[in-house]
């Protein structure tokens, strides 16, 4: 997919007087600064900082009578807690901080696609792959911690010992394929939506942007839910003793 640096990256390039030069085999040889080349990392970092800033603000201003922002976050936390408890039978609350962090990170990245100066970090596969790898490492670590190293990996061999040489490689291949499916699903949907929205904005820049922004917000919420739900399901399968 053709690379278009975000307006923020272009502006920072001018303000900071960053050197622009062609990157071999990238963007058709266009001269780009390091921020323009890696603007997906810039937007992903901004999404992470925004998530930390807003959650810190809510935490410092907790009140018995909640304001609008606190009410929103209480609803989000309550919804995530219910989702985790519905999928993880025992002590699901211990995984809420991680699932909540991933949900906010993905959502704010998706949300950046609605802002003119930014682009969604999740429209780049490097960002979604990194998020999927973090989830992969997290649920496998807790699976080994909860069940023990040997027992956790032994269940991939299947219930019949003489089929283990066949079952184990297939199960491990299926486990690794989750990284691709988890990352590509989010990347493909957000990148496609971002490109389509840009095309429609170019065709009808006056009337169309408002309904498209509402549609983009809804689409970003759906993709955040799907990514978070899959992470929860993978985690549930890893820590469940009945698995």
């Amino acid at each position: 997919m053709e690379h278009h640096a975000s307006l923020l990256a272009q502006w920072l390039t001018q303000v900071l007087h960053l050197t622009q030069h062609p990157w071999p085999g990238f963007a058709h040889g266009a001269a780009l600064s390091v921020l323009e080349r890696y603007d997906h990392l810039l937007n992903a970092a901004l999404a992470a900082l925004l998530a930390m800033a807003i959650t810190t603000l809510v935490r410092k201003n907790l009140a018995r009578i909640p304001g609008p922002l606190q009410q929103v976050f209480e609803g989000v936390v309550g919804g995530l807690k219910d989702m985790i408890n519905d999928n993880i039978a025992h002590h699901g609350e211990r995984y809420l901080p991680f699932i909540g962090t991933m949900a906010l990170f993905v959502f704010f990245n998706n949300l950046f696609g609605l802002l003119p100066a930014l682009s969604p970090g999740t429209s780049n596969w490097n960002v979604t792959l990194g998020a999927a790898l973090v989830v992969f490492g997290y649920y496998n670590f807790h699976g080994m911690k909860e069940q023990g190293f040997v027992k956790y990996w032994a269940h991939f061999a299947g219930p019949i010992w003489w089929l283990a040489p066949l079952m184990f490689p297939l199960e491990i291949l299926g486990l690794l394929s989750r990284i691709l499916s988890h990352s590509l699903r989010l990347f493909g949907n957000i990148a496609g939506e971002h490109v389509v929205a840009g095309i429609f904005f170019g065709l009808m820049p006056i009337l169309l942007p408002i309904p498209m922004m509402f549609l983009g917000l809804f689409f970003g919420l759906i993709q955040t839910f799907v990514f978070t739900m899959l992470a929860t399901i993978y985690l549930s399968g890893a820590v469940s003793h009945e698995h």
Side-chain angles (χ1 to χ4, degrees), residues 77-126:
V77 171
L80 289 173
K81 186 181 294 186
D82 290 340
M83 182 179 68
I84 293 171
N85 289 330
D86 287 343
N87 288 278
I88 301 177
H90 305 290
H91 310 294
E93 292 82 2
R94 70 177 64 171
Y95 309 111
L96 178 61
F98 175 78
I99 296 298
T101 299
M102 294 305 300
L104 289 176
F105 174 75
V106 171
F107 173 71
F108 283 123
N109 267 291
N110 295 347
L111 188 66
F112 281 178
L114 304 178
L115 304 179
L118 299 172
S119 61
T122 43
S123 66
N124 188 291
W125 187 50
N126 293 286

Side-chain angles (χ1 to χ4, degrees), residues 187-203:
F187 156 69
N189 282 287
I190 296 301
E193 187 273 336
H194 190 57
V195 170
V196 171
I199 293 173
F200 278 111
F201 285 174
L203 293 175

Side-chain angles (χ1 to χ4, degrees), residues 94-95 133-156 168 172 175 234-241 243:
R94 70 177 64 171
Y95 309 111
L133 284 171
V134 169
V135 172
F136 180 83
Y138 182 84
Y139 71 74
N140 279 294
F141 170 77
H142 278 278
M144 291 184 287
K145 181 180 178 182
E146 188 72 22
Q147 301 190 45
F149 181 87
V150 175
K151 182 180 178 182
Y152 178 72
W153 292 106
H155 86 268
F156 289 105
F168 189 79
I172 295 300
L175 182 69
Y234 295 155
L235 180 60
S236 172
V239 302
S240 173
H241 290 277
H243 183 63

Side-chain angles (χ1 to χ4, degrees), residues 53-63 69-70 73-74:
I54 292 180
T55 52
T56 301
L57 178 65
V58 173
R59 184 176 181 181
K60 285 186 175 181
N61 294 278
L62 290 176
L69 187 59
Q70 183 177 333
F73 268 79
E74 286 180 355

